[in-house]
Amino acid sequence: FVHPVNKKLPQNERALRQRLSRYMIRNCRLETHLKLPPRRVLMRRLSASEEEKKVYESLTQFIRESYYMVSRAPQGLNQLTLMLLQKLATSSPEALRLSLDGILKKGELSGEMEDSFVSIRDSCHKVEKAIKFEEIMRFITQEAQGDKVIVFTQFRATQQQLVRLLHKEGISTAEFHGE
């Protein structure tokens, strides 16, 4: 069912849909006939703290200097890992720190790369509480007024850190994740 030239396109799409229809079920909210409370989606533009900026800027500088070099390395980092690290940095310094710890434990980096990662990891330690978490805590305690709140995170480490902070403030949680 894969197109012979462009592997991202399906071939014989009608037959593929028919075969998959037995296994894929899609429901819209309206089709479920559930009486759900109204959904309020809030998005906030936040400015990173100085410590968070330092983490992100030092990682970005490392990536700029290393991006094309890692594609030629026989082992260790690759470009996809570098992009993932940047996503982790925007999720939470804790998520980035944990990933850097894992990379450093493997011991596959050159001395210069290892020094850079250690420095970035140490910068992550200096971030006491990410601005995102402060805003979430403020929203839950001041604006939500006892309503249930759903917070989506991309990375489990960010979710776990948020849960710890909420529990520390006496706020109960229910965790859902993809595993």
Side-chain angles (χ1 to χ4, degrees):
F1 291 104
V2 177
H3 193 278
V5 176
N6 186 343
K7 303 293 183 197
K8 294 182 180 182
L9 293 176
Q11 181 175 300
N12 199 354
E13 192 172 343
R14 183 176 290 149
L16 178 62
R17 283 185 188 276
Q18 185 177 12
R19 185 172 282 184
L20 290 176
S21 68
R22 292 182 286 175
Y23 307 104
M24 293 184 69
I25 300 170
R26 294 204 175 253
N27 289 316
C28 297
R29 281 175 65 134
L30 290 174
E31 293 173 355
T32 63
H33 302 293
L34 294 173
K35 301 296 180 208
L36 299 170
R39 185 172 22 173
R40 264 181 26 195
V41 177
L42 299 173
M43 294 179 66
R44 307 272 166 89
R45 183 177 300 267
L46 303 174
S47 297
S49 68
E50 289 304 314
E51 293 88 7
E52 289 172 301
K53 285 179 188 175
K54 183 177 180 191
V55 169
Y56 190 77
E57 288 168 0
S58 59
L59 178 64
T60 300
Q61 184 62 34
F62 173 81
I63 291 171
R64 281 187 184 130
E65 294 169 359
S66 309
Y67 190 76
Y68 294 105
M69 183 177 61
V70 298
S71 65
R72 295 186 298 271
Q75 65 177 12
L77 294 178
N78 60 45
Q79 292 170 334
L80 182 61
T81 302
L82 295 178
M83 289 187 287
L84 181 62
L85 290 173
Q86 203 147 34
K87 281 182 150 188
L88 284 158
T90 61
S91 182
S92 71
E94 176 73 1
L96 176 60
R97 184 190 65 76
L98 291 171
S99 289
L100 292 175
D101 280 344
I103 291 169
L104 288 166
K105 282 180 187 171
K106 289 181 181 178
E108 297 176 350
L109 301 176
S110 69
E112 189 177 321
M113 283 187 175
E114 185 171 328
D115 292 345
S116 294
F117 274 22
V118 167
S119 175
I120 296 166
R121 182 194 60 195
D122 292 347
S123 295
C124 291
H125 276 295
K126 294 177 183 171
V127 179
E128 291 183 26
K129 188 188 289 185
I131 294 293
K132 280 184 186 181
F133 295 145
E134 290 179 9
E135 179 61 21
I136 291 169
M137 297 298 286
R138 191 198 63 71
F139 175 78
I140 290 173
T141 59
Q142 296 174 18
E143 291 184 42
Q145 300 172 350
D147 289 342
K148 292 181 179 179
V149 175
I150 299 175
V151 178
F152 292 94
T153 64
Q154 185 172 6
F155 298 101
R156 171 103 37 101
T158 301
Q159 179 190 40
Q160 290 171 336
Q161 185 182 18
L162 180 58
V163 166
R164 282 192 305 273
L165 292 169
L166 290 167
H167 286 178
K168 193 174 179 181
E169 295 294 321
I171 299 169
S172 62
T173 64
E175 293 176 66
F176 296 96
H177 48 77
E179 284 187 17

Coordinates of all heavy atoms in Angstrom, one line a residue, residues 126-161:
K126 N 19.9 25.0 37.7 CA 19.7 26.4 38.3 C 18.3 26.9 38.1 O 18.0 27.9 38.7 CB 20.8 27.3 37.7 CG 22.2 27.0 38.1 CD 23.2 27.8 37.4 CE 24.6 27.4 37.8 NZ 25.6 28.0 37.0
V127 N 17.5 26.3 37.3 CA 16.1 26.8 37.1 C 15.3 26.2 38.3 O 15.1 25.0 38.3 CB 15.6 26.3 35.7 CG1 14.1 26.8 35.6 CG2 16.4 26.8 34.6
E128 N 14.9 27.1 39.2 CA 14.2 26.6 40.4 C 12.8 26.1 40.0 O 12.4 25.0 40.4 CB 14.1 27.7 41.4 CG 15.5 27.9 42.0 CD 15.4 29.0 43.1 OE1 14.4 29.1 43.8 OE2 16.5 29.6 43.4
K129 N 12.1 26.9 39.3 CA 10.7 26.5 38.8 C 10.5 27.2 37.5 O 10.6 28.4 37.4 CB 9.6 26.9 39.8 CG 8.3 26.3 39.5 CD 7.1 26.9 40.3 CE 7.2 26.4 41.8 NZ 6.0 26.9 42.5
A130 N 10.1 26.4 36.5 CA 9.9 26.9 35.2 C 8.7 27.8 35.2 O 7.7 27.6 35.9 CB 9.7 25.8 34.2
I131 N 8.8 28.9 34.4 CA 7.7 29.9 34.3 C 6.4 29.2 33.9 O 5.3 29.6 34.5 CB 8.0 31.0 33.2 CG1 9.2 31.8 33.7 CG2 6.9 31.8 32.9 CD1 9.0 32.7 34.9
K132 N 6.4 28.2 33.1 CA 5.2 27.5 32.7 C 4.5 26.9 34.0 O 3.3 27.0 34.1 CB 5.5 26.3 31.8 CG 5.7 26.6 30.4 CD 6.0 25.2 29.7 CE 6.3 25.5 28.2 NZ 6.5 24.2 27.5
F133 N 5.3 26.3 34.8 CA 4.8 25.7 36.0 C 4.2 26.7 37.0 O 3.1 26.5 37.6 CB 5.8 24.8 36.7 CG 6.3 23.6 35.9 CD1 7.6 23.2 36.0 CD2 5.4 23.0 35.1 CE1 8.0 22.1 35.3 CE2 5.8 21.9 34.4 CZ 7.1 21.4 34.5
E134 N 4.8 27.9 37.1 CA 4.3 29.0 37.9 C 3.0 29.4 37.4 O 2.0 29.6 38.1 CB 5.3 30.1 37.9 CG 6.6 29.8 38.7 CD 7.5 31.0 38.8 OE1 7.2 32.1 38.3 OE2 8.7 30.8 39.2
E135 N 2.8 29.5 36.1 CA 1.6 30.0 35.5 C 0.5 28.9 35.6 O -0.7 29.3 35.9 CB 1.8 30.3 34.0 CG 0.5 30.8 33.3 CD -0.1 32.0 33.8 OE1 0.6 32.8 34.5 OE2 -1.3 32.2 33.6
I136 N 0.8 27.7 35.5 CA -0.2 26.6 35.7 C -0.6 26.6 37.1 O -1.8 26.5 37.4 CB 0.4 25.2 35.3 CG1 0.6 25.2 33.8 CG2 -0.5 24.1 35.8 CD1 1.4 24.0 33.3
M137 N 0.3 26.7 38.1 CA -0.1 26.8 39.5 C -1.0 28.0 39.8 O -2.0 27.9 40.5 CB 1.2 26.8 40.4 CG 2.0 25.6 40.3 SD 1.2 24.1 40.8 CE 1.2 24.4 42.5
R138 N -0.6 29.1 39.2 CA -1.4 30.3 39.4 C -2.8 30.1 38.9 O -3.8 30.5 39.5 CB -0.8 31.6 38.8 CG -1.4 32.9 39.2 CD -1.0 34.0 38.2 NE -1.5 33.8 36.9 CZ -2.8 33.8 36.5 NH1 -3.7 34.1 37.3 NH2 -3.1 33.6 35.2
F139 N -2.9 29.6 37.7 CA -4.2 29.4 37.0 C -5.1 28.4 37.9 O -6.2 28.7 38.2 CB -4.1 28.8 35.6 CG -5.4 28.5 35.0 CD1 -6.2 29.5 34.5 CD2 -5.8 27.1 35.0 CE1 -7.5 29.1 34.0 CE2 -7.0 26.8 34.4 CZ -7.9 27.8 33.9
I140 N -4.5 27.3 38.3 CA -5.3 26.3 39.0 C -5.7 26.8 40.4 O -6.9 26.6 40.8 CB -4.5 25.0 39.2 CG1 -4.3 24.3 37.8 CG2 -5.1 24.1 40.2 CD1 -3.4 23.1 37.8
T141 N -4.9 27.6 41.1 CA -5.2 28.0 42.4 C -6.1 29.3 42.4 O -6.8 29.5 43.3 CB -3.9 28.3 43.2 OG1 -3.1 29.2 42.6 CG2 -3.2 27.0 43.5
Q142 N -5.9 30.1 41.4 CA -6.6 31.4 41.4 C -7.8 31.5 40.4 O -8.8 32.2 40.7 CB -5.7 32.6 41.1 CG -4.6 32.7 42.2 CD -3.6 33.7 41.9 OE1 -3.8 34.6 41.0 NE2 -2.4 33.6 42.6
E143 N -7.7 30.9 39.2 CA -8.7 31.1 38.2 C -9.6 29.9 38.0 O -10.8 30.1 37.8 CB -8.0 31.4 36.8 CG -7.4 32.8 36.7 CD -6.9 33.0 35.4 OE1 -7.6 32.7 34.4 OE2 -5.7 33.6 35.3
A144 N -9.1 28.7 38.2 CA -10.0 27.5 37.9 C -11.1 27.4 39.0 O -12.1 26.8 38.7 CB -9.1 26.3 37.9
Q145 N -10.8 27.9 40.2 CA -11.8 27.9 41.2 C -12.5 26.5 41.4 O -13.7 26.4 41.5 CB -12.9 28.9 40.9 CG -12.3 30.3 40.8 CD -13.4 31.3 40.4 OE1 -14.5 31.0 39.9 NE2 -13.0 32.6 40.4
G146 N -11.6 25.5 41.6 CA -12.1 24.2 41.9 C -12.6 23.4 40.7 O -12.9 22.2 40.8
D147 N -12.6 24.0 39.5 CA -12.9 23.2 38.3 C -11.8 22.2 38.0 O -10.6 22.4 38.3 CB -13.0 24.1 37.1 CG -14.3 25.0 37.1 OD1 -15.2 24.6 37.9 OD2 -14.3 26.0 36.4
K148 N -12.1 21.1 37.3 CA -11.1 20.2 36.8 C -10.4 20.8 35.7 O -11.0 21.5 34.8 CB -11.8 18.9 36.4 CG -12.3 18.1 37.6 CD -12.9 16.8 37.2 CE -13.5 16.1 38.4 NZ -14.1 14.8 38.0
V149 N -9.1 20.6 35.6 CA -8.2 21.1 34.6 C -7.5 20.0 33.9 O -6.9 19.1 34.6 CB -7.2 22.2 35.2 CG1 -6.3 22.7 34.2 CG2 -8.0 23.3 35.9
I150 N -7.3 20.1 32.6 CA -6.5 19.1 31.8 C -5.3 19.9 31.3 O -5.5 20.9 30.7 CB -7.3 18.5 30.7 CG1 -8.5 17.7 31.2 CG2 -6.3 17.6 29.9 CD1 -9.3 17.1 30.1
V151 N -4.1 19.4 31.6 CA -2.9 20.0 31.1 C -2.2 18.9 30.2 O -1.9 17.8 30.7 CB -2.0 20.4 32.3 CG1 -0.7 21.0 31.8 CG2 -2.7 21.4 33.2
F152 N -1.9 19.3 29.0 CA -1.2 18.4 28.1 C 0.2 18.8 28.1 O 0.6 19.9 28.0 CB -1.8 18.6 26.7 CG -3.2 18.1 26.5 CD1 -4.3 19.0 26.6 CD2 -3.5 16.8 26.2 CE1 -5.6 18.6 26.5 CE2 -4.8 16.4 26.1 CZ -5.8 17.2 26.2
T153 N 1.0 17.7 28.1 CA 2.5 17.9 28.0 C 3.0 16.9 26.9 O 2.3 15.9 26.7 CB 3.2 17.6 29.3 OG1 3.0 16.2 29.6 CG2 2.8 18.5 30.4
Q154 N 4.1 17.2 26.3 CA 4.6 16.3 25.3 C 5.5 15.3 25.9 O 5.6 14.2 25.3 CB 5.4 17.1 24.2 CG 5.8 16.3 23.1 CD 6.4 17.1 21.9 OE1 6.6 18.3 22.0 NE2 6.7 16.4 20.8
F155 N 6.2 15.6 27.0 CA 7.1 14.7 27.5 C 6.8 14.2 28.9 O 6.3 15.0 29.7 CB 8.5 15.3 27.5 CG 9.0 15.7 26.1 CD1 8.9 16.9 25.7 CD2 9.5 14.7 25.3 CE1 9.4 17.3 24.4 CE2 9.9 15.0 24.0 CZ 9.9 16.3 23.5
R156 N 7.0 13.0 29.2 CA 6.6 12.4 30.5 C 7.4 13.1 31.6 O 6.8 13.3 32.7 CB 7.0 10.9 30.5 CG 6.8 10.3 31.9 CD 5.6 9.4 32.2 NE 5.1 8.7 31.1 CZ 5.3 7.3 30.9 NH1 6.1 6.7 31.8 NH2 4.8 6.7 30.0
A157 N 8.6 13.5 31.5 CA 9.4 14.1 32.5 C 8.7 15.4 32.9 O 8.7 15.8 34.1 CB 10.8 14.3 32.1
T158 N 8.2 16.2 32.0 CA 7.5 17.4 32.3 C 6.2 17.1 33.0 O 5.9 17.8 34.0 CB 7.2 18.2 31.0 OG1 8.4 18.4 30.3 CG2 6.5 19.5 31.2
Q159 N 5.5 16.1 32.6 CA 4.3 15.7 33.3 C 4.6 15.3 34.8 O 3.9 15.8 35.7 CB 3.6 14.5 32.6 CG 2.3 14.0 33.3 CD 1.9 12.7 32.7 OE1 2.7 11.9 32.3 NE2 0.6 12.6 32.5
Q160 N 5.6 14.5 34.9 CA 5.9 14.0 36.3 C 6.4 15.2 37.2 O 6.0 15.2 38.4 CB 7.0 13.0 36.2 CG 6.5 11.7 35.6 CD 7.6 10.7 35.3 OE1 8.8 11.0 35.2 NE2 7.2 9.4 35.3
Q161 N 7.1 16.2 36.7 CA 7.5 17.3 37.5 C 6.3 18.1 37.8 O 6.2 18.6 39.0 CB 8.5 18.2 36.7 CG 9.1 19.3 37.6 CD 10.1 20.2 36.8 OE1 10.1 20.2 35.6 NE2 10.8 21.0 37.6

